[in-house]
């Protein structure tokens, strides 16, 4: 309304729709996903918001089934592969500095997804090491970090050793 007043418009055309909060979230996310040049983090949180709203709408069904069907529906509506949508949603588990590195193109999507399985403390330690060593993990290094994290063997020393290995493409 204020924008219309500043432009000297006496009225503002609007379309009023009755909808639930979940329906409004889904409509908002779908509108935002139409934008070009979305950052990976923007896609990640948009898909996650839509998934949560869709799961909330289907709460009477079994949880795992709703999760799978909802991700499939999000993927279908976004014209994306099911696994791709799952991977973007997984990025929401990254600590903000690592997610920023994905947005900046310094960490590729595949390694970033694997790093999202590290604990927040492990991710924070990794981010510090990336800054100190000016190196980012390859997919194979990220996969090893994820496995060691699952086994509770990913110490700062192990993280350092993996990150500072000479990579084949750096020889």
């Amino acid at each position: 309304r204020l924008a219309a007043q500043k432009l000297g418009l006496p009225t503002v055309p609007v379309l009023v729709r009755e909808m639930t909060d979940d329906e409004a979230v889904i409509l908002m996310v779908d509108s935002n996903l139409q934008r070009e040049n979305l950052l990976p983090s923007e896609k990640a949180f948009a898909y996650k918001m839509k998934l949560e709203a869709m799961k909330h709408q289907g709460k009477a069904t079994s949880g795992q089934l709703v999760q799978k069907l909802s991700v499939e529906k999000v993927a279908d509506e976004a014209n994306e592969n099911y696994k791709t949508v799952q991977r973007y949603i997984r990025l929401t588990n990254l600590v903000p500095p690592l997610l920023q590195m994905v947005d900046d193109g310094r960490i590729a999507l595949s390694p970033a997804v694997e790093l999202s399985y590290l604990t927040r403390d492990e991710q924070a330690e990794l981010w510090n090491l990336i800054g100190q060593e000016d190196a980012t993990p390859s997919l194979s290094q990220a996969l090893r970090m994820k496995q060691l994290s699952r086994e509770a063997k990913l110490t700062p020393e192990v993280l350092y050793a993996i990150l500072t290995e000479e990579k084949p493409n750096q020889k």
Side-chain angles (χ1 to χ4, degrees), residues 13-142:
V14 295
L15 178 60
V16 178
R17 290 187 190 158
E18 284 285 326
M19 55 178 58
T20 65
D21 288 348
D22 292 326
E23 290 167 335
V25 165
I26 291 168
L27 183 63
M28 176 200 65
V29 167
D30 286 345
S31 298
N32 285 336
L33 285 171
Q34 299 303 313
R35 291 183 13 231
E36 287 184 36
N37 303 323
L38 279 180
L39 294 171
S41 63
E42 292 171 326
K43 268 189 175 182
F45 285 103
Y47 288 150
K48 185 175 182 178
M49 281 178 70
K50 184 170 182 175
L51 178 63
E52 292 302 317
M54 291 171 79
K55 280 180 6 190
H56 192 253
Q57 285 180 327
K59 61 184 171 213
T61 324
S62 133
Q64 271 190 325
L65 178 62
V66 169
Q67 173 85 15
K68 183 171 180 3
L69 292 176
S70 297
V71 172
E72 286 175 354
K73 188 164 172 49
V74 169
D76 189 49
E77 290 177 3
N79 205 23
E80 287 268 19
N81 177 287
Y82 167 79
K83 289 282 184 198
T84 301
V85 169
Q86 272 188 319
R87 292 170 61 187
Y88 272 109
I89 291 170
R90 188 68 218 173
L91 292 181
T92 63
N93 293 296
L94 283 174
V95 293
L98 290 179
L99 186 55
Q100 183 62 54
M101 292 184 79
V102 177
D103 283 347
D104 293 343
R106 293 189 55 210
I107 298 179
L109 181 63
S110 293
V113 169
E114 302 309 325
L115 296 174
S116 74
Y117 290 92
L118 273 55
T119 67
R120 295 190 76 72
D121 286 345
E122 290 165 344
Q123 289 183 45
E125 181 64 31
L126 175 62
W127 184 73
N128 285 333
L129 287 170
I130 287 171
Q132 287 171 25
E133 299 302 318
D134 194 28
T136 56
S138 66
L139 177 56
S140 65
Q141 289 172 323

